[in-house]
Amino acid sequence: MILLGLAGLIFLFTEESYALIETLSTSIRSYFGRFYLILGLACVLLLVGLAVSPLGKFKLGRTNEEPAFSRLSWIAMLYSAGMGAGILLRAVQEPVFMQQNPPITAETSAEIQALEFTFYQWGFTAWAFYTVFALAIGTAVFKYGRPAYTSSTVFTHSKTRASKIGIKSIDLLVILTTVFGLIAAVALGARQIKGGLDYLNGSLLSENISLVIISAIGVFALISALSGLQKGIKLISRANIFLCVTLLFFVFLQGNILSILNQFVIALYHYCIDFIPLSLAYGNFDPGEAFLTDWTYYYWAFWIAWAPFTGIFIANISRGRTLREIIIGVLLIPSLGSFFWFTVFGQSAFELIEEWRSYNREFDNVFNSLFIFLSNYPAQSIVNALVILLLLSFLVTSLDSAILVLSLHNSRSENPSKRSRILWGLLLTLTTIAFTILSFNKENVDVLNTMQKLLIVTSLPLSFFMVWMLFRWIKSLLTKA
């Protein structure tokens, strides 16, 4: 009812909601941005410390329990849920923006600096936010037998009034954040697919195409969610990785391979040695409040808002693995994969711009920049079809993961009923369609981006909760050690 009430308020008072969310999101980034930076660095250092300590042997689950998924399937599922369509949206646009607008003055080239900052915003810190939630939730659920929801990390679910209020408040916040974040992600992803189709068609297609795309995503996501982790979600996630690798090597093998590898190694080296001053925006690594507010604070708030949802999903697929294996697997492997991805597309785009001898902001639009970039390569019809298929597949994975997580919260069971999954699948799909239609009719308000910024607002209480959760989690590990 609360979810429907909030949705109704946004529908009835769209302009007022837009103004309020915009003001709150800007204020949160301005006043709490530095706190987010410190929290992100603390999470990375804490996880590294745990991985090398004796506590790293602690297993999510029984002592003799084996992992439910192979390492390949595990990595495929966590990467699909954690990053998804974002790496396609930003593959070319973000590195090029950083190259054309260097955040800081440094001795390194603009290209290396662009890759380093892109690595920073998609790297260890983002995955650290996800990992701390995954490990805290996994420890509570699989080791201590508590219910499978976020509040289990700090409450033992006693029947006192204070506990009940705390449990309901935390879990409601997670559900609202997940629902509105998913609506925005799927709707904007559908817009990117339509933007690609518009570009390929050479003219603007009907806005109703977006509604057809969202409906298709909803149907496939529901089928996948009903099939469960072992079938639908696992198979689609593996397909995502296969398609990603295919697209990646299509560009990589036609580019300047030595130059790409060289830039990757140099940018990775600088990212690692600059990680702490970058993480604190300290000294020469401070790009200024304007840049931090538009980029880093925005990303950090976004990762924090997504962390409970992604953390619950990662915890569910990581049962039977040790803390050390999860930390190394979740922090390093997806990060390195993202770094190589952005290097291949970024460096290839830099070389295209150099060949053109002038840049007229061809890659500024996040919705069609990848399609414009790929128009410079052969087999365009096949490659563009691959990109659209990959976008659809990533969005299906995001939605089916959300259906599973929300069903876990709703049913309070490790194996939510099909009825619960169907209800959440229909609710998410229909609400996404409704807000997309609203965006058509409110051209003076960017409805979908406003909903994304709603995640920044919810990230603030979640960040405070995260500090509390970390203390309780570490205390429980030390007590049971």
Side-chain angles (χ1 to χ4, degrees), residues 25 28-29 36 129 177 295-307 455-460 462:
S25 69
I28 287 169
R29 282 177 283 170
Y36 284 0
F129 287 138
T177 302
W295 288 91
T296 310
Y297 296 164
Y298 185 94
Y299 269 123
W300 268 220
F302 199 75
W303 302 138
I304 290 170
W306 274 113
L455 269 68
I456 296 173
V457 177
T458 60
S459 73
L460 184 60
L462 282 173

Side-chain angles (χ1 to χ4, degrees), residues 98-125:
M98 297 296 171
Q99 183 222 21
Q100 295 293 314
N101 307 273
I104 60 174
T105 302
E107 295 179 1
T108 54
S109 67
E111 289 75 19
I112 292 297
Q113 192 180 142
L115 293 175
E116 183 180 357
F117 265 84
T118 304
F119 290 3
Y120 171 54
Q121 289 167 167
W122 289 81
F124 302 148
T125 310

Side-chain angles (χ1 to χ4, degrees), residues 78-145:
L78 68 89
Y79 194 82
S80 293
M83 291 299 159
I87 62 167
L88 293 167
L89 201 71
R90 299 287 188 178
V92 174
Q93 185 267 345
E94 186 165 329
V96 170
F97 179 89
M98 297 296 171
Q99 183 222 21
Q100 295 293 314
N101 307 273
I104 60 174
T105 302
E107 295 179 1
T108 54
S109 67
E111 289 75 19
I112 292 297
Q113 192 180 142
L115 293 175
E116 183 180 357
F117 265 84
T118 304
F119 290 3
Y120 171 54
Q121 289 167 167
W122 289 81
F124 302 148
T125 310
W127 288 100
F129 287 138
Y130 293 167
T131 306
V132 293
F133 268 97
L135 295 181
I137 292 167
T139 302
V141 175
F142 302 132
K143 199 69 178 180
Y144 306 131

